[in-house]
């Protein structure tokens, strides 16, 4: 067994962490996506390890502690580094009531552990994590996209205050992601005589991912979401994409209606701290 340095890593290591992800993660985040997720000023992660070997990133959120990223280089797997990194994560989160792996809004990289990642599922089971819930993505083939019904716009900087107020009233849990999308120019909105009817964000934490999406409470279930989703998908296609994934899906029907199919499933693992010590 080789020893793994568990020093804290800073933003200066981003390129090396991105390269580690490229080698070791099936759906690797790019350096700028890692920068947003790991070094956000309002929720900086504790990032530890050695980018040549393995890295773990944790954050403390409202629901407890979260592992945002855990990866070991494929060339040095099976030597105990995974065990060392999850133990380091738990030590960093010792002041929290629980540790959840992924599904850590608003800066999540993964909505859980992808069910194809047998080694990761096994590592977490060996450390007494429970499968708390499952999340899934739905893929949409942008080359076979339904026509854009129109009626949507991209929100701009001048719309920020109105949007922030609307989100605070109707969907405060999604305010951070929706406003980040607005700042990036990837927030699709629609209006009626009463004001904002809804929004659909895309390319927020990761490029190619669509969500969150929401409409005003009085419009839920009345088809107001579909033009927003199609408006976002058409803009993703116009930017050169052939495929998009709706991330961390709630109801299936609205996305099935626009041609979406379940593409990836993620288990959310959680452990109450103190359970096995
Ligand atoms: C999961 C992962 C971190 C394990 O790293 P590792 O250094 O090989 O882990 P270890 O040698 O410490 O082994 C730890 C445990 O993982 C499990 N494991 C490791 N390799 C495994 C494999 N090939 N098959 C099944 N289980 C495996 C075992 O339970 C092992 O413990 P045990 O041998 O005592 O039962 C590594 O495979 C990895 O980086 N996978 C990709 C992770 C990823 O997708 N991250 C992005 C989302 S956060």
């Amino acid at each position: 067994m080789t020893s793994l340095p568990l020093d804290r890593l800073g933003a200066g290591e981003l390129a090396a962490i991105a390269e580690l992800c490229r080698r070791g993660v099936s759906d690797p985040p790019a350096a700028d996506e890692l920068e947003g997720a790991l070094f956000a000023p309002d929720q900086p992660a504790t990032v530890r390890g050695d980018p040549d070997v393995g890295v773990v990133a944790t954050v403390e959120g409202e629901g407890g502690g979260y592992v945002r990223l855990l990866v070991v280089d494929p060339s040095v797997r099976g030597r105990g580094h995974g065990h060392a990194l999850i133990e380091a994560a738990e030590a960093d989160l010792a002041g929290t009531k629980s540790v959840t792996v992924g599904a850590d809004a608003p800066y999540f990289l993964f909505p859980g552990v992808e069910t194809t990642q047998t080694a990761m599922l096994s590592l977490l089971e060996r450390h007494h994590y429970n499968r708390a819930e499952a999340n899934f993505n739905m893929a949409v083939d942008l080359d076979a996209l339904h026509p854009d019904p129109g009626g949507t716009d991209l929100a701009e900087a001048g719309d920020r205050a109105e949007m922030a107020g609307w989100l605070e009233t109707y969907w405060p849990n999604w305010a951070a992601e929706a406003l980040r999308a607005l700042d990036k120019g990837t927030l699709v909105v629609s209006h009626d005589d009463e004001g904002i009817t809804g929004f659909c964000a895309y390319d927020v934490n990761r490029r190619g991912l669509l969500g969150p999406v929401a409409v005003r409470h009085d419009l839920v279930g009345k088809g107001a979401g579909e033009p927003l989703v199609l408006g976002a998908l058409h803009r993703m296609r116009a930017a050169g994409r052939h495929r998009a994934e709706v991330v961390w899906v709630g109801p299936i029907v609205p996305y099935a209606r626009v041609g979406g199919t379940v593409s990836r499933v993620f288990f959310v693992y959680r452990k109450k701290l103190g359970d096995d010590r």
Side-chain angles (χ1 to χ4, degrees):
M1 184 183 296
T2 54
S3 65
L4 169 61
L6 290 168
D7 302 333
R8 252 192 109 156
L9 303 174
E13 305 287 344
L14 268 168
I17 299 170
E19 192 48 33
L20 170 69
C21 288
R22 197 191 58 73
R23 295 191 303 272
V25 178
S26 62
D27 169 28
D32 63 328
E33 295 170 337
L34 285 166
E35 181 174 21
L38 302 184
F39 300 104
D42 57 329
Q43 196 195 54
T46 301
V47 188
R48 285 192 191 282
D50 174 352
D52 288 337
V53 180
V55 161
V56 67
T58 55
V59 292
E60 292 189 22
E62 280 179 20
Y66 294 87
V67 174
R68 182 157 287 164
L69 176 70
L70 196 169
V71 55
V72 170
D73 188 285
S75 68
V76 291
R77 287 186 183 168
R79 302 183 195 179
H81 298 315
H83 283 308
L85 289 168
I86 194 73
E87 282 161 15
E90 290 178 19
D92 279 329
L93 296 172
T96 66
K97 59 182 183 185
S98 64
V99 179
T100 302
V101 183
D104 44 337
Y107 290 105
F108 67 97
L109 288 167
F110 307 95
V113 180
E114 196 170 350
T115 52
T116 51
Q117 300 304 312
T118 307
M120 187 76 163
L121 307 178
S122 303
L123 169 68
L124 295 172
E125 196 170 290
R126 292 274 280 120
H127 285 262
H128 310 294
Y129 283 71
N130 294 312
R131 277 190 301 277
E133 54 219 53
N135 289 326
F136 61 94
N137 291 356
M138 289 178 75
V140 181
D141 176 1
L142 298 181
D143 293 330
L145 198 50
H146 300 193
D148 186 350
T152 62
D153 298 295
L154 279 182
E156 295 174 358
D159 305 321
R160 201 175 199 284
E162 183 193 7
M163 194 70 219
W166 187 92
L167 288 161
E168 195 47 48
T169 303
Y170 295 107
W171 303 102
N173 287 351
W174 285 327
E177 283 164 80
L179 290 176
R180 201 141 25 90
L182 185 148
D183 294 339
K184 290 182 172 191
T186 59
L187 186 72
V188 176
V189 288
S190 54
H191 293 82
D192 65 8
D193 293 344
E194 292 170 41
I196 296 169
T197 50
F199 72 88
C200 177
Y202 64 96
D203 289 358
V204 185
N205 294 347
R206 307 279 310 268
R207 280 184 288 279
L209 297 184
L210 182 145
V213 187
V215 298
R216 214 168 54 212
H217 293 175
D218 60 302
L219 298 172
V220 171
K222 296 185 180 164
E226 188 166 322
L228 289 160
V229 170
L230 282 170
L233 290 170
H234 274 270
R235 286 169 173 92
M236 294 173 94
R237 184 168 78 174
R241 287 204 160 270
H242 297 280
R243 182 177 185 273
E245 265 191 323
V246 187
V247 63
W248 200 335
V249 171
I252 292 172
V253 169
Y255 309 109
R257 278 211 183 110
V258 298
T261 52
V262 174
S263 50
R264 295 195 283 161
V265 180
F266 303 79
F267 291 142
V268 180
Y269 280 87
R270 186 167 298 132
K271 171 180 178 174
K272 282 190 192 149
L273 285 184
D275 270 7
D276 68 346
R277 33 182 97 188

